[in-house]
Amino acid sequence: METEAEHKKFLTLEEANRLVCSLEQNIRKLQDLQKTLDLIQSVTFEYDDEHQRLISAIKLNQQFHTLSAEFYTLLNSLLITGCVVKDIELGLVDFYSQCDNRIICLCWQLGEKNIQFWHEIDSGAQ
């Protein structure tokens, strides 16, 4: 039977800090995509011409799915590198690591130059 730890990619502080360089751009891209997806979902169409309404809805739906695919592809690529995106809006990311035979999370937030905090899996930053 597989344990939860077998599904996590563990990084050292140095490895996680190397990812921070490209992380800011990727998190900002995720934020932009999320805002655009939220905006698309809020759009409603009111046309007298039913055909025009359907065409507009189909185009918007296609754009939504294209952007959703881009969003989840980027999110998945971050996960594969060891990033656990906790909050896109805040730009909060954790990295699994180990310290004294315990699993911990190294924490980074958008705007920080490097990782400055960590926490146990079930608690907040220290």
Side-chain angles (χ1 to χ4, degrees), residues 43-47 52-61:
V43 172
T44 57
F45 294 99
E46 292 191 23
Y47 290 99
Q52 183 61 43
R53 188 191 67 76
L54 285 173
I55 289 172
S56 296
I58 288 169
K59 287 180 182 178
L60 198 59
N61 192 32

Side-chain angles (χ1 to χ4, degrees), residues 2 7 13 16-17 39 42 45 47-48 50 54-56 58 60 72 79 85 109 113-114 124:
E2 293 182 354
H7 296 289
L13 178 60
N17 271 324
L39 180 63
S42 70
F45 294 99
Y47 290 99
D48 290 336
E50 181 65 16
L54 285 173
I55 289 172
S56 296
I58 288 169
L60 198 59
Y72 286 106
L79 184 60
V85 179
Q109 188 166 357
K113 297 290 183 203
N114 54 37

Side-chain angles (χ1 to χ4, degrees), residues 60-114:
L60 198 59
N61 192 32
Q62 182 180 27
Q63 184 180 20
F64 177 84
H65 287 290
T66 299
L67 292 173
S68 288
E70 184 179 349
F71 178 89
Y72 286 106
T73 299
L74 179 54
L75 193 58
N76 188 56
S77 71
L78 292 175
L79 184 60
I80 289 169
T81 63
C83 302
V84 180
V85 179
K86 302 300 260 185
D87 188 313
I88 293 169
E89 189 175 322
L90 293 175
L92 188 59
V93 178
D94 282 350
F95 304 88
Y96 290 110
S97 191
Q98 292 182 311
C99 179
D100 300 326
N101 294 322
R102 296 178 312 183
I103 298 174
I104 63 168
C105 291
L106 304 172
C107 305
W108 176 84
Q109 188 166 357
L110 190 62
E112 295 176 346
K113 297 290 183 203
N114 54 37

Side-chain angles (χ1 to χ4, degrees), residues 20-33:
V20 166
C21 296
S22 63
L23 196 52
E24 184 164 347
Q25 179 182 358
N26 288 325
I27 293 297
R28 289 196 189 283
K29 178 69 174 172
L30 283 174
Q31 288 174 333
D32 290 345
L33 285 166

